[in-house]
Amino acid sequence: LIDVIVSGDKLSIEGKAHSGDTDGFIHNFTISDNLDSEEIDATVIDGVLTVSIPYAEAVKPRKIEVKVK
């Protein structure tokens, strides 16, 4: 069982054994202000956990059209 928990600027990933043993892990990360913590996505494929955290809209690069007059 894996839990991904977001609280403020903290991201925690907690893993627990299925058998109910005390074996497990906790990894804590700090999320930068330029990331969108509301849009975090976590998936497990073939036993590999992938956590995706997109950039916040305010920091995404955008193309500015140059007008010729």
Side-chain angles (χ1 to χ4, degrees):
L1 177 64
I2 297 176
D3 291 322
V4 178
I5 302 163
V6 178
S7 178
D9 65 345
K10 304 294 183 204
L11 172 74
S12 298
I13 299 174
E14 300 179 10
K16 300 169 189 150
H18 287 288
S19 62
D21 295 335
T22 58
D23 294 339
F25 65 88
I26 298 174
H27 291 286
N28 296 301
F29 305 90
T30 301
I31 301 172
S32 173
D33 289 341
N34 61 354
L35 298 176
D36 189 351
S37 63
E38 297 295 319
E39 295 296 324
I40 293 176
D41 183 53
T43 56
V44 175
I45 299 174
D46 295 329
V48 177
L49 173 65
T50 302
V51 178
S52 300
I53 310 172
Y55 283 106
E57 286 294 325
V59 296
K60 284 186 181 176
R62 61 188 179 107
K63 187 174 182 179
I64 308 297
E65 180 182 345
V66 178
K67 297 178 183 120
V68 178
K69 295 182 179 184

